Amino acid sequence: MLEACVFATILCGFFGIIAKKNLFMKIVSMDVMSTGVISYYVLIASLGGLVTPIVDNTKDVAYADPVPQAVILTAIVIGFSIQALMLVGVMKLAQNNPTLEHRKVEKNNTP
Amino acid sequence: MSTITIAWIALPFFIGFSAYLLPKLSRLFAFFVALASAGYAFKIFLEDSPIILQLLDNFGVTLAVDELSAYFILTNALVTIAVILYCQDSDKTYFFYTQLIILHGSVNAAFVCADFISLYVALEVISIASFLLITYPRTERSIWVGLRYLFISNTTMLFYLVGTALVYQANYSFSFAGLTNAPPEAIAFIFLGLLTKGGIFVSGLWLPLTHSESQSPVSAMLSGAVVKAGVFPLVRCALMLEGIDPIVRLFGVGTALLGVFFAVFEKDTKRMLAFHTVSQLGFILASPLVGGFYALTHGLVKSALFLIAGSLPSRNFKELHHQPIGTAVWIAAAMASFSISGFPLLAGFGAKILTSKNLLDWQVIAMNVAAVGTAISFAKFIFLPHGGKANVQPGFWRAMILLLSGLIMANVLYYQAYTIDNTIKPLITIAIGWSAYNLIFQRIVIKLPRVLEEFEHLIGVMTLMLMSLFWMVMP
């Protein structure tokens, strides 16, 4: 069930990238897609157990897998910085193309 | 040796950020980093066994350095040095050199890592650094081209991440070797990412616009070294896992034909070179075992030709036919074109022979067609009128001398290729290519539609590729 929701988020984001006409909305859709991917890693980490992986010898519980969580932190940071970079680019483009419709931008800038 | 490896990987990032603090030394820093990489590559050639580093536990960073990586690292180093020499007298600021250092470092990282997450990080840093280099002129067009590049590579890397998660779920490790146990959808997702990032087949059609609209030194860097960061992991996987090998070879053949088909009809110098890069990546994939040497010769030739194309008076072949170019520039262009067409006495010859020896039976015809196509495309450079006045940057010749002498020296690496049989075959290919050019292709004007290069279609093609990949890897 949860897995289906995660994949639905990824697909919604991907569909948004194709269907949205506005460049800004495309970037937001990409963020939705990356949220889906990140939650997929969290889901995989929690398959074995839900307790925060800080070893406590007094209790006998199933811990969550720390590796996917640690790895996805890197991906979050990278995704965030790329997003910021792209928004700056879009801001620059908006000076000459206020509607930011990607077809117009593309037509103006393809030789 | 492992300490040297780690220090060498960390060096570009350390120096890259120091270049911000000492802007005056940035060019010197960049030069030093590239030289260090070249030295490291030679050191690897002398090692007997590959270096394999497993940092932390089975889920940590894995590095593997062998002869194959050494070829790719050497390519990256030589191309970077040539670009720095070319830019020596231009007004590029420290920002340009800083990004160049970081790009160089991350491409190197992609050539040595052996697990999917390190590769992901390296590829994403490559995207960011290339974006900043593409948009360096700050014009609207450059920003759009850069944005398009960043958008496509980031979307495809998200698919790649899903595949990586599936590999981890199956193996509790991210290493390349885990791909055998992974479910087919993992392979499909990961390959989609690598194929798009490496500019292979239809998912690589973002490449021509990006490479042709950047400034010449940046195009040289992108085409000569950066795209190979996406191709290298495919070669690695093909060598490590038997099941993957036929898929990689098939994509190699497909992209070799597709790229050369567009290149033959192209009338714009830089776009022709960019399409031809797509085709040459196919040659690297078509015989993974010897892909390293091919990548080296291609990197040298392609960066030289992009730098030459940047200093010609026009980008249109038709206009160039009415404006004779400088004889010295023409000689450089002809040397590079001869090498890539596989003419003896230059490194391209050895690389072509080595590749054709490692082809499987079903690949041979298609790759010969692609080789003829290469000869046709580069006849466009060879048959340009010359004798005019050359107007080049002072750094131009330093870069050319490095790249072209590299071609001659690499020629010696595989001297066994010089037998009569081997020599005749490329000569026939070139003869067919040139006569086809003079009789047919020079006269016809066909403008191929660019519909596949539109942004929406590039994203849409990803779904198609994903489905066909899934269908291919299904047991």
Side-chain angles (χ1 to χ4, degrees):
Chain A
M1 178 61 198
L2 267 174
E3 202 165 356
C5 287
V6 165
F7 276 105
T9 315
I10 296 177
L11 281 179
C12 277
F14 186 70
F15 185 68
I17 294 175
I18 297 182
K20 285 285 173 191
K21 298 241 175 329
N22 186 308
L23 267 179
F24 185 80
M25 293 308 279
K26 274 182 193 286
I27 295 178
V28 173
S29 313
M30 204 181 75
D31 196 35
V32 172
M33 191 175 162
S34 78
T35 309
V37 175
I38 291 164
S39 38
Y40 189 50
Y41 270 78
V42 176
L43 182 71
I44 286 182
S46 67
L47 284 180
L50 290 171
V51 182
T52 318
I54 300 171
V55 177
D56 183 354
N57 288 332
T58 54
K59 279 181 265 174
D60 183 30
V61 282
Y63 294 108
D65 189 349
V67 177
Q69 302 180 27
V71 158
I72 204 62
L73 263 182
T74 325
I76 293 172
V77 173
I78 291 174
F80 156 76
S81 54
I82 287 185
Q83 207 105 48
L85 210 54
M86 278 167 69
L87 288 174
V88 172
V90 163
M91 259 165 68
K92 280 269 192 189
L93 284 178
Q95 286 168 355
N96 288 336
N97 312 277
T99 56
L100 276 178
E101 250 184 275
H102 86 274
R103 271 173 214 268
K104 263 190 203 149
V105 178
E106 187 161 29
K107 220 173 124 201
N108 290 343
N109 291 307
T110 319
Chain B
M1 197 62 203
S2 39
T3 325
I4 297 178
T5 308
I6 293 171
W8 164 75
I9 291 176
L11 182 77
F13 300 102
F14 180 70
I15 288 195
F17 288 105
S18 325
Y20 267 112
L21 304 175
L22 301 162
K24 283 208 174 127
L25 295 174
S26 56
R27 208 184 58 229
L28 223 63
F29 277 158
F31 195 74
F32 169 69
V33 167
L35 270 186
S37 295
Y40 181 78
F42 281 117
K43 183 101 181 53
I44 296 297
F45 279 125
L46 299 177
E47 294 281 315
D48 301 326
S49 55
I51 303 163
I52 293 175
L53 292 179
Q54 181 108 30
L55 311 176
L56 278 180
D57 208 349
N58 62 335
F59 46 79
V61 175
T62 324
L63 304 175
V65 199
D66 56 7
E67 206 185 87
L68 183 73
S69 336
Y71 276 118
F72 280 88
I73 294 165
L74 186 62
T75 315
N76 187 18
L78 288 177
V79 172
T80 313
I81 294 176
V83 167
I84 295 165
L85 289 176
Y86 181 83
C87 295
Q88 201 166 27
D89 304 295
S90 64
D91 50 357
K92 299 266 188 284
T93 58
Y94 69 96
F95 182 75
F96 181 85
Y97 292 107
T98 311
Q99 296 309 326
L100 200 65
I101 299 172
I102 291 175
L103 184 63
H104 175 83
S106 47
V107 172
N108 275 341
F111 291 155
V112 295
C113 59
D115 69 295
F116 288 115
I117 287 295
S118 321
L119 182 66
Y120 167 77
V121 175
L123 289 179
E124 287 287 40
V125 177
I126 288 173
S127 309
I128 296 175
S130 322
F131 171 81
L132 291 172
L133 282 177
I134 295 168
T135 55
Y136 181 77
R138 301 284 188 278
T139 58
E140 195 183 302
R141 177 175 291 179
S142 69
I143 290 179
W144 164 247
V145 170
L147 201 64
R148 175 175 171 270
Y149 167 75
L150 197 59
F151 211 118
I152 289 165
S153 68
N154 197 38
T155 310
T156 195
M157 287 321 274
L158 287 174
F159 282 117
Y160 173 92
L161 267 184
V162 175
T164 313
L166 290 167
V167 170
Y168 180 78
Q169 204 178 5
N171 297 291
Y172 293 101
S173 138
F174 288 111
S175 72
F176 283 171
L179 214 53
T180 23
N181 302 330
E185 52 268 33
I187 303 176
F189 277 125
I190 286 176
F191 268 49
L192 176 71
L194 295 177
L195 289 174
T196 311
K197 196 74 203 165
I200 310 292
F201 206 50
V202 276
S203 49
L205 285 178
W206 56 266
L207 187 148
L209 182 73
T210 312
H211 287 196
S212 63
E213 292 309 314
S214 314
Q215 291 180 312
S216 295
V218 178
S219 314
M221 187 71 195
L222 290 178
S223 246
V226 174
V227 278
K228 295 189 179 89
V231 174
F232 178 79
L234 289 171
V235 174
R236 235 311 118 74
C237 289
L239 291 178
M240 275 169 78
L241 315 164
E242 246 171 54
I244 309 282
D245 185 69
I247 303 174
V248 168
R249 280 174 187 264
L250 185 66
F251 272 108
V253 172
T255 189
L257 289 176
L258 181 86
V260 93
F261 173 74
F262 279 101
V264 161
F265 292 108
E266 194 52 59
K267 300 285 179 214
D268 179 297
T269 47
K270 285 183 86 176
R271 270 180 73 81
M272 192 281 271
L273 292 174
F275 272 121
H276 193 258
T277 301
V278 175
S279 132
Q280 293 296 295
L281 296 172
F283 276 83
I284 299 174
L285 290 184
S287 55
L289 193 62
V290 292
F293 189 48
Y294 204 96
L296 174 67
T297 58
H298 170 251
L300 294 176
V301 165
K302 204 40 77 67
S303 45
L305 281 170
F306 263 117
L307 295 179
I308 290 170
S311 48
L312 293 180
S314 163
R315 275 181 59 172
N316 191 318
F317 276 116
K318 201 156 246 165
E319 283 172 26
L320 284 174
H321 272 286
H322 304 295
Q323 291 176 317
I325 59 175
T327 310
V329 177
W330 180 81
I331 292 175
M335 264 178 82
S337 308
F338 271 120
S339 170
I340 200 89
S341 313
F343 195 80
L345 299 179
L346 291 160
F349 169 71
K352 276 241 153 75
I353 298 292
L354 211 56
T355 303
S356 59
K357 286 228 160 76
N358 282 283
L359 290 177
L360 299 179
D361 290 339
W362 57 270
Q363 291 177 305
V364 173
I365 297 176
M367 294 320 268
N368 282 336
V369 173
V372 172
T374 302
I376 297 174
S377 328
F378 283 95
K380 292 177 194 174
F381 272 109
I382 292 168
F383 289 109
L384 281 181
H386 49 93
K389 243 181 83 183
N391 186 16
V392 293
Q393 286 193 26
F396 176 79
W397 289 114
R398 268 167 266 163
M400 278 308 123
I401 289 168
L402 174 76
L403 292 170
L404 297 177
S405 58
L407 275 182
I408 296 170
M409 279 195 279
N411 182 36
V412 189
L413 278 180
Y414 184 57
Y415 57 88
Q416 297 96 322
Y418 287 95
T419 60
I420 294 177
D421 283 1
N422 283 348
T423 322
I424 290 173
K425 202 185 135 202
L427 290 179
I428 295 176
T429 312
I430 294 174
I432 297 174
W434 286 4
S435 33
Y437 169 73
N438 279 317
L439 295 175
I440 310 169
F441 290 99
Q442 197 183 8
R443 294 177 197 172
I444 52 170
V445 181
I446 296 178
K447 230 177 157 14
L448 294 173
R450 291 190 182 180
V451 75
L452 275 174
E453 286 178 54
E454 281 170 24
F455 181 74
E456 274 182 333
H457 296 296
L458 288 172
I459 301 276
V461 158
M462 281 182 201
T463 47
L464 297 180
M465 280 299 274
L466 190 61
M467 278 194 286
S468 48
L469 271 170
F470 187 63
W471 177 73
M472 279 162 84
V473 292
M474 273 295 263

